[in-house]
Each structure stands twice: as structure tokens, then as C-alpha cells.
Amino acid sequence: MAMRNIREDGDAILLKHSRPVTDFNRRLHTLLDDMRETLLAADGVGLAAPQVGILRRAVIVMDTNREELSPEEQIIELVNPQIVSADGEQTGQEGCLSVPGVYGIVTRPEHVVVKAQDRFGKPFTVEGTGLTARCFCHELDHLDGHLFTEIAQRILTPEELEEMNGEQE
Ligand code: NI
């Protein structure tokens, strides 16, 4: 496994549309393994392939609702994911590893059901609520070249950020 460079806002690749994965081969497995390592090192909750410069429909999301699992075990790999149903609404803070230091208020569904394939091409369905639902939506947006800053109601001010960081300590 190897760490990959996370592309940042201003890099044109983040605005591009990703192509479906057609080969569930070693190249895909290496990409997913590298994305896992990169996400864990960055202490994030989700990462999409275009964020590491690969325009393929693959994302990983941490199911943070499952606190009994280790961070590594919380990671869900989604290849060619599609949201098949969404309900409810949540409005809260959102950030992105490609937009470091910026947080905005974004409204997302409270609950989503996602259909995807695993790294071997086997189809499965997964559900997410709360932060996990937010993360599914955010990562899938990356596959169509969208960043959360486009849909944020507003971006948090430096004072709000400071307050937020204070709470984390
Ligand atoms: Ni992101």
C-alpha cells in the first residue's frame, strides 16, 4: 500500500466526471488499498478516487455509527455507487480533505440507501444515517465533479472555526 497525494480545490480534476469501473482487477484493489491508507492518515471520514487523481467511480466511506469497530474496519468500499433512495433532512457542518480548513453548512438527506459493487464486482446495498448518510452523498458528488462548497448555505467564519476547534480539544 502507498499513500496518494490528495488533490486540492483549484485542481481541475476535481470538477470532472468519473467513469464507471469495468475491471475489478489488481489495479482497482491497489487503488482502494491506497485510498484506505490515505484516508486513515488524513483522519478523514470519506475519500473519492478523483481526490487522488483517478477519474473512476470508486469511493470509501467510514461508517462512524459503528463505534465498536476500529477505523480500518469502519471503511466501506463502494464501486460504481448509486443512491437508490433518500429520505429525511439534516443541516450541519461539512468539510472535505480537498478543501482544507474550510467548513460549510450543508443540507443533506438524513437517511440514504446506496447500491454499489464491492472490489470483486459483487453487488450489495448499504444504508447510512446521520454523518454516514452525509458522507455517502458528499463522496458520490465527487464522482460527478461537485464539491460541497457549491451547495453550502454558507461557509463558517474564522470565529466559528475557532470555536469549533476549541470544542474538539
Ligand atoms: Ni470531499
mmCIF file of all heavy atoms in Angstrom, residues 19-32 56-59 77-81 115-124:
data_model
loop_
_atom_site.group_PDB
_atom_site.id
_atom_site.type_symbol
_atom_site.label_atom_id
_atom_site.label_comp_id
_atom_site.label_asym_id
_atom_site.label_seq_id
_atom_site.Cartn_x
_atom_site.Cartn_y
_atom_site.Cartn_z
ATOM 1 N N ARG A 19 -15.555 7.988 -14.676
ATOM 2 C CA ARG A 19 -16.108 6.897 -15.492
ATOM 3 C C ARG A 19 -16.371 5.658 -14.620
ATOM 4 O O ARG A 19 -15.669 5.443 -13.624
ATOM 5 C CB ARG A 19 -15.110 6.502 -16.582
ATOM 6 C CG ARG A 19 -14.810 7.606 -17.578
ATOM 7 C CD ARG A 19 -13.795 7.138 -18.628
ATOM 8 N NE ARG A 19 -12.512 6.786 -18.046
ATOM 9 C CZ ARG A 19 -11.536 7.661 -17.760
ATOM 10 N NH1 ARG A 19 -11.709 8.947 -17.995
ATOM 11 N NH2 ARG A 19 -10.414 7.254 -17.237
ATOM 12 N N PRO A 20 -17.351 4.826 -15.025
ATOM 13 C CA PRO A 20 -17.609 3.606 -14.265
ATOM 14 C C PRO A 20 -16.383 2.686 -14.242
ATOM 15 O O PRO A 20 -15.586 2.690 -15.187
ATOM 16 C CB PRO A 20 -18.751 2.928 -15.030
ATOM 17 C CG PRO A 20 -19.392 4.019 -15.812
ATOM 18 C CD PRO A 20 -18.299 4.988 -16.142
ATOM 19 N N VAL A 21 -16.271 1.908 -13.171
ATOM 20 C CA VAL A 21 -15.234 0.871 -13.086
ATOM 21 C C VAL A 21 -15.746 -0.338 -13.856
ATOM 22 O O VAL A 21 -16.885 -0.779 -13.652
ATOM 23 C CB VAL A 21 -14.959 0.487 -11.610
ATOM 24 C CG1 VAL A 21 -14.062 -0.733 -11.529
ATOM 25 C CG2 VAL A 21 -14.367 1.666 -10.861
ATOM 26 N N THR A 22 -14.923 -0.867 -14.763
ATOM 27 C CA THR A 22 -15.342 -2.034 -15.541
ATOM 28 C C THR A 22 -14.473 -3.260 -15.228
ATOM 29 O O THR A 22 -14.894 -4.389 -15.416
ATOM 30 C CB THR A 22 -15.272 -1.741 -17.059
ATOM 31 O OG1 THR A 22 -13.988 -1.182 -17.340
ATOM 32 C CG2 THR A 22 -16.335 -0.737 -17.469
ATOM 33 N N ASP A 23 -13.249 -3.011 -14.761
ATOM 34 C CA ASP A 23 -12.333 -4.118 -14.466
ATOM 35 C C ASP A 23 -12.073 -4.187 -12.964
ATOM 36 O O ASP A 23 -11.521 -3.241 -12.397
ATOM 37 C CB ASP A 23 -11.014 -3.931 -15.216
ATOM 38 C CG ASP A 23 -11.216 -3.966 -16.721
ATOM 39 O OD1 ASP A 23 -12.027 -4.804 -17.181
ATOM 40 O OD2 ASP A 23 -10.593 -3.148 -17.422
ATOM 41 N N PHE A 24 -12.476 -5.293 -12.366
ATOM 42 C CA PHE A 24 -12.303 -5.455 -10.917
ATOM 43 C C PHE A 24 -10.997 -6.207 -10.673
ATOM 44 O O PHE A 24 -10.969 -7.310 -10.147
ATOM 45 C CB PHE A 24 -13.534 -6.162 -10.340
ATOM 46 C CG PHE A 24 -14.777 -5.320 -10.495
ATOM 47 C CD1 PHE A 24 -15.485 -5.309 -11.690
ATOM 48 C CD2 PHE A 24 -15.188 -4.510 -9.461
ATOM 49 C CE1 PHE A 24 -16.595 -4.486 -11.851
ATOM 50 C CE2 PHE A 24 -16.297 -3.695 -9.611
ATOM 51 C CZ PHE A 24 -17.005 -3.688 -10.810
ATOM 52 N N ASN A 25 -9.926 -5.559 -11.099
ATOM 53 C CA ASN A 25 -8.624 -6.218 -11.135
ATOM 54 C C ASN A 25 -7.672 -5.691 -10.059
ATOM 55 O O ASN A 25 -8.068 -4.913 -9.181
ATOM 56 C CB ASN A 25 -8.020 -6.041 -12.539
ATOM 57 C CG ASN A 25 -7.941 -4.566 -12.921
ATOM 58 O OD1 ASN A 25 -8.113 -3.691 -12.076
ATOM 59 N ND2 ASN A 25 -7.680 -4.288 -14.185
ATOM 60 N N ARG A 26 -6.436 -6.099 -10.174
ATOM 61 C CA ARG A 26 -5.432 -5.736 -9.185
ATOM 62 C C ARG A 26 -5.204 -4.223 -9.122
ATOM 63 O O ARG A 26 -4.971 -3.658 -8.062
ATOM 64 C CB ARG A 26 -4.112 -6.454 -9.485
ATOM 65 C CG ARG A 26 -3.223 -6.616 -8.262
ATOM 66 C CD ARG A 26 -2.183 -7.681 -8.510
ATOM 67 N NE ARG A 26 -1.315 -7.344 -9.623
ATOM 68 C CZ ARG A 26 -0.136 -6.701 -9.493
ATOM 69 N NH1 ARG A 26 0.292 -6.357 -8.304
ATOM 70 N NH2 ARG A 26 0.596 -6.434 -10.546
ATOM 71 N N ARG A 27 -5.340 -3.579 -10.278
ATOM 72 C CA ARG A 27 -5.165 -2.121 -10.315
ATOM 73 C C ARG A 27 -6.221 -1.433 -9.431
ATOM 74 O O ARG A 27 -5.917 -0.507 -8.685
ATOM 75 C CB ARG A 27 -5.284 -1.633 -11.765
ATOM 76 C CG ARG A 27 -5.070 -0.149 -11.937
ATOM 77 C CD ARG A 27 -5.362 0.242 -13.378
ATOM 78 N NE ARG A 27 -4.297 -0.133 -14.266
ATOM 79 C CZ ARG A 27 -3.336 0.711 -14.673
ATOM 80 N NH1 ARG A 27 -3.351 1.957 -14.284
ATOM 81 N NH2 ARG A 27 -2.398 0.303 -15.482
ATOM 82 N N LEU A 28 -7.484 -1.937 -9.499
ATOM 83 C CA LEU A 28 -8.557 -1.382 -8.661
ATOM 84 C C LEU A 28 -8.263 -1.653 -7.187
ATOM 85 O O LEU A 28 -8.442 -0.786 -6.330
ATOM 86 C CB LEU A 28 -9.915 -1.995 -9.050
ATOM 87 C CG LEU A 28 -11.079 -1.624 -8.121
ATOM 88 C CD1 LEU A 28 -11.443 -0.139 -8.263
ATOM 89 C CD2 LEU A 28 -12.317 -2.485 -8.411
ATOM 90 N N HIS A 29 -7.817 -2.885 -6.880
ATOM 91 C CA HIS A 29 -7.544 -3.252 -5.482
ATOM 92 C C HIS A 29 -6.427 -2.390 -4.899
ATOM 93 O O HIS A 29 -6.502 -1.969 -3.741
ATOM 94 C CB HIS A 29 -7.216 -4.743 -5.383
ATOM 95 C CG HIS A 29 -8.365 -5.611 -5.787
ATOM 96 N ND1 HIS A 29 -8.312 -6.978 -5.792
ATOM 97 C CD2 HIS A 29 -9.612 -5.300 -6.217
ATOM 98 C CE1 HIS A 29 -9.478 -7.471 -6.201
ATOM 99 N NE2 HIS A 29 -10.276 -6.467 -6.470
ATOM 100 N N THR A 30 -5.405 -2.123 -5.715
ATOM 101 C CA THR A 30 -4.314 -1.256 -5.250
ATOM 102 C C THR A 30 -4.833 0.158 -4.996
ATOM 103 O O THR A 30 -4.501 0.778 -3.988
ATOM 104 C CB THR A 30 -3.175 -1.232 -6.303
ATOM 105 O OG1 THR A 30 -2.732 -2.574 -6.487
ATOM 106 C CG2 THR A 30 -2.010 -0.377 -5.849
ATOM 107 N N LEU A 31 -5.678 0.644 -5.911
ATOM 108 C CA LEU A 31 -6.263 1.981 -5.731
ATOM 109 C C LEU A 31 -7.031 2.046 -4.409
ATOM 110 O O LEU A 31 -6.839 2.965 -3.607
ATOM 111 C CB LEU A 31 -7.193 2.306 -6.910
ATOM 112 C CG LEU A 31 -8.074 3.553 -6.722
ATOM 113 C CD1 LEU A 31 -7.226 4.820 -6.674
ATOM 114 C CD2 LEU A 31 -9.114 3.659 -7.846
ATOM 115 N N LEU A 32 -7.899 1.050 -4.167
ATOM 116 C CA LEU A 32 -8.707 1.045 -2.942
ATOM 117 C C LEU A 32 -7.822 0.918 -1.703
ATOM 118 O O LEU A 32 -8.055 1.598 -0.693
ATOM 119 C CB LEU A 32 -9.752 -0.075 -2.997
ATOM 120 C CG LEU A 32 -10.887 0.141 -4.014
ATOM 121 C CD1 LEU A 32 -11.675 -1.144 -4.223
ATOM 122 C CD2 LEU A 32 -11.822 1.265 -3.574
ATOM 123 N N ARG A 56 -12.361 7.478 -11.735
ATOM 124 C CA ARG A 56 -13.154 6.251 -11.746
ATOM 125 C C ARG A 56 -14.145 6.296 -10.595
ATOM 126 O O ARG A 56 -13.865 6.884 -9.538
ATOM 127 C CB ARG A 56 -12.247 5.027 -11.587
ATOM 128 C CG ARG A 56 -11.412 4.753 -12.810
ATOM 129 C CD ARG A 56 -12.256 4.205 -13.946
ATOM 130 N NE ARG A 56 -11.466 3.981 -15.145
ATOM 131 C CZ ARG A 56 -11.937 3.430 -16.251
ATOM 132 N NH1 ARG A 56 -13.206 3.052 -16.309
ATOM 133 N NH2 ARG A 56 -11.176 3.255 -17.293
ATOM 134 N N ARG A 57 -15.308 5.622 -10.792
ATOM 135 C CA ARG A 57 -16.379 5.714 -9.804
ATOM 136 C C ARG A 57 -16.124 4.744 -8.642
ATOM 137 O O ARG A 57 -16.687 3.648 -8.590
ATOM 138 C CB ARG A 57 -17.741 5.494 -10.467
ATOM 139 C CG ARG A 57 -17.984 6.485 -11.606
ATOM 140 C CD ARG A 57 -19.379 6.433 -12.175
ATOM 141 N NE ARG A 57 -20.357 7.146 -11.363
ATOM 142 C CZ ARG A 57 -20.535 8.463 -11.384
ATOM 143 N NH1 ARG A 57 -19.804 9.229 -12.171
ATOM 144 N NH2 ARG A 57 -21.440 9.015 -10.605
ATOM 145 N N ALA A 58 -15.269 5.156 -7.735
ATOM 146 C CA ALA A 58 -14.952 4.383 -6.538
ATOM 147 C C ALA A 58 -14.775 5.356 -5.377
ATOM 148 O O ALA A 58 -14.113 6.384 -5.528
ATOM 149 C CB ALA A 58 -13.681 3.577 -6.751
ATOM 150 N N VAL A 59 -15.414 5.029 -4.252
ATOM 151 C CA VAL A 59 -15.263 5.864 -3.050
ATOM 152 C C VAL A 59 -15.122 4.951 -1.834
ATOM 153 O O VAL A 59 -15.489 3.775 -1.876
ATOM 154 C CB VAL A 59 -16.481 6.818 -2.807
ATOM 155 C CG1 VAL A 59 -16.790 7.638 -4.050
ATOM 156 C CG2 VAL A 59 -17.717 6.053 -2.366
ATOM 157 N N GLU A 77 -16.124 0.131 1.154
ATOM 158 C CA GLU A 77 -15.682 0.416 -0.219
ATOM 159 C C GLU A 77 -16.882 0.337 -1.157
ATOM 160 O O GLU A 77 -17.616 -0.652 -1.137
ATOM 161 C CB GLU A 77 -14.654 -0.633 -0.671
ATOM 162 C CG GLU A 77 -13.407 -0.664 0.186
ATOM 163 C CD GLU A 77 -12.435 -1.760 -0.197
ATOM 164 O OE1 GLU A 77 -12.780 -2.617 -1.059
ATOM 165 O OE2 GLU A 77 -11.327 -1.785 0.371
ATOM 166 N N LEU A 78 -17.058 1.373 -1.956
ATOM 167 C CA LEU A 78 -18.201 1.415 -2.863
ATOM 168 C C LEU A 78 -17.700 1.660 -4.286
ATOM 169 O O LEU A 78 -17.110 2.699 -4.571
ATOM 170 C CB LEU A 78 -19.148 2.553 -2.473
ATOM 171 C CG LEU A 78 -19.700 2.543 -1.044
ATOM 172 C CD1 LEU A 78 -20.085 3.928 -0.628
ATOM 173 C CD2 LEU A 78 -20.899 1.629 -0.945
ATOM 174 N N VAL A 79 -17.938 0.685 -5.140
ATOM 175 C CA VAL A 79 -17.539 0.813 -6.539
ATOM 176 C C VAL A 79 -18.820 0.982 -7.369
ATOM 177 O O VAL A 79 -19.803 0.272 -7.137
ATOM 178 C CB VAL A 79 -16.731 -0.426 -6.988
ATOM 179 C CG1 VAL A 79 -16.329 -0.295 -8.454
ATOM 180 C CG2 VAL A 79 -15.499 -0.616 -6.101
ATOM 181 N N ASN A 80 -18.814 1.931 -8.274
ATOM 182 C CA ASN A 80 -19.989 2.280 -9.084
ATOM 183 C C ASN A 80 -21.230 2.516 -8.215
ATOM 184 O O ASN A 80 -22.305 1.969 -8.492
ATOM 185 C CB ASN A 80 -20.272 1.189 -10.129
ATOM 186 C CG ASN A 80 -19.125 1.024 -11.097
ATOM 187 O OD1 ASN A 80 -18.436 1.977 -11.437
ATOM 188 N ND2 ASN A 80 -18.893 -0.215 -11.552
ATOM 189 N N PRO A 81 -21.115 3.326 -7.153
ATOM 190 C CA PRO A 81 -22.246 3.525 -6.233
ATOM 191 C C PRO A 81 -23.346 4.393 -6.834
ATOM 192 O O PRO A 81 -23.074 5.269 -7.658
ATOM 193 C CB PRO A 81 -21.589 4.249 -5.049
ATOM 194 C CG PRO A 81 -20.451 5.006 -5.649
ATOM 195 C CD PRO A 81 -19.943 4.135 -6.771
ATOM 196 N N LYS A 115 -26.697 1.580 -3.560
ATOM 197 C CA LYS A 115 -26.417 0.313 -4.249
ATOM 198 C C LYS A 115 -25.026 0.466 -4.859
ATOM 199 O O LYS A 115 -24.715 1.503 -5.440
ATOM 200 C CB LYS A 115 -27.458 0.133 -5.361
ATOM 201 C CG LYS A 115 -27.790 -1.290 -5.718
ATOM 202 C CD LYS A 115 -28.916 -1.333 -6.721
ATOM 203 C CE LYS A 115 -28.367 -1.012 -8.120
ATOM 204 N NZ LYS A 115 -29.408 -1.108 -9.162
ATOM 205 N N ALA A 116 -24.183 -0.552 -4.695
ATOM 206 C CA ALA A 116 -22.824 -0.455 -5.226
ATOM 207 C C ALA A 116 -22.308 -1.856 -5.519
ATOM 208 O O ALA A 116 -23.019 -2.856 -5.349
ATOM 209 C CB ALA A 116 -21.914 0.245 -4.218
ATOM 210 N N GLN A 117 -21.046 -1.914 -5.955
ATOM 211 C CA GLN A 117 -20.368 -3.198 -6.109
ATOM 212 C C GLN A 117 -19.155 -3.201 -5.190
ATOM 213 O O GLN A 117 -18.598 -2.132 -4.886
ATOM 214 C CB GLN A 117 -19.903 -3.382 -7.562
ATOM 215 C CG GLN A 117 -21.044 -3.697 -8.515
ATOM 216 C CD GLN A 117 -20.621 -3.520 -9.964
ATOM 217 O OE1 GLN A 117 -20.549 -2.411 -10.458
ATOM 218 N NE2 GLN A 117 -20.324 -4.618 -10.641
ATOM 219 N N ASP A 118 -18.751 -4.378 -4.738
ATOM 220 C CA ASP A 118 -17.541 -4.450 -3.921
ATOM 221 C C ASP A 118 -16.325 -4.549 -4.854
ATOM 222 O O ASP A 118 -16.467 -4.488 -6.081
ATOM 223 C CB ASP A 118 -17.605 -5.594 -2.896
ATOM 224 C CG ASP A 118 -17.543 -6.985 -3.515
ATOM 225 O OD1 ASP A 118 -17.233 -7.100 -4.738
ATOM 226 O OD2 ASP A 118 -17.785 -7.960 -2.794
ATOM 227 N N ARG A 119 -15.138 -4.706 -4.299
ATOM 228 C CA ARG A 119 -13.922 -4.686 -5.121
ATOM 229 C C ARG A 119 -13.809 -5.872 -6.075
ATOM 230 O O ARG A 119 -12.949 -5.898 -6.944
ATOM 231 C CB ARG A 119 -12.667 -4.576 -4.247
ATOM 232 C CG ARG A 119 -12.489 -5.711 -3.241
ATOM 233 C CD ARG A 119 -11.070 -5.736 -2.677
ATOM 234 N NE ARG A 119 -10.728 -4.534 -1.919
ATOM 235 C CZ ARG A 119 -9.469 -4.149 -1.680
ATOM 236 N NH1 ARG A 119 -8.444 -4.863 -2.140
ATOM 237 N NH2 ARG A 119 -9.219 -3.069 -0.971
ATOM 238 N N PHE A 120 -14.687 -6.877 -5.874
ATOM 239 C CA PHE A 120 -14.679 -8.033 -6.778
ATOM 240 C C PHE A 120 -15.830 -7.973 -7.789
ATOM 241 O O PHE A 120 -16.018 -8.896 -8.575
ATOM 242 C CB PHE A 120 -14.746 -9.330 -5.960
ATOM 243 C CG PHE A 120 -13.626 -9.440 -4.954
ATOM 244 C CD1 PHE A 120 -13.850 -9.180 -3.604
ATOM 245 C CD2 PHE A 120 -12.333 -9.751 -5.371
ATOM 246 C CE1 PHE A 120 -12.806 -9.240 -2.676
ATOM 247 C CE2 PHE A 120 -11.291 -9.812 -4.453
ATOM 248 C CZ PHE A 120 -11.529 -9.551 -3.106
ATOM 249 N N GLY A 121 -16.632 -6.900 -7.708
ATOM 250 C CA GLY A 121 -17.732 -6.720 -8.645
ATOM 251 C C GLY A 121 -19.060 -7.216 -8.144
ATOM 252 O O GLY A 121 -20.084 -7.122 -8.832
ATOM 253 N N LYS A 122 -19.081 -7.739 -6.911
ATOM 254 C CA LYS A 122 -20.326 -8.286 -6.358
ATOM 255 C C LYS A 122 -21.235 -7.145 -5.880
ATOM 256 O O LYS A 122 -20.814 -6.297 -5.093
ATOM 257 C CB LYS A 122 -19.967 -9.195 -5.177
ATOM 258 C CG LYS A 122 -21.131 -9.968 -4.629
ATOM 259 C CD LYS A 122 -20.692 -10.880 -3.484
ATOM 260 C CE LYS A 122 -21.914 -11.416 -2.775
ATOM 261 N NZ LYS A 122 -21.750 -11.575 -1.350
ATOM 262 N N PRO A 123 -22.499 -7.138 -6.350
ATOM 263 C CA PRO A 123 -23.404 -6.053 -5.950
ATOM 264 C C PRO A 123 -23.832 -6.184 -4.485
ATOM 265 O O PRO A 123 -23.995 -7.298 -3.981
ATOM 266 C CB PRO A 123 -24.628 -6.244 -6.855
ATOM 267 C CG PRO A 123 -24.272 -7.290 -7.846
ATOM 268 C CD PRO A 123 -23.137 -8.087 -7.269
ATOM 269 N N PHE A 124 -24.026 -5.051 -3.825
ATOM 270 C CA PHE A 124 -24.565 -5.045 -2.473
ATOM 271 C C PHE A 124 -25.290 -3.721 -2.237
ATOM 272 O O PHE A 124 -25.147 -2.780 -3.019
ATOM 273 C CB PHE A 124 -23.464 -5.271 -1.416
ATOM 274 C CG PHE A 124 -22.488 -4.125 -1.279
ATOM 275 C CD1 PHE A 124 -22.627 -3.183 -0.256
ATOM 276 C CD2 PHE A 124 -21.425 -3.980 -2.157
ATOM 277 C CE1 PHE A 124 -21.731 -2.125 -0.116
ATOM 278 C CE2 PHE A 124 -20.527 -2.920 -2.033
ATOM 279 C CZ PHE A 124 -20.675 -1.997 -1.011
#
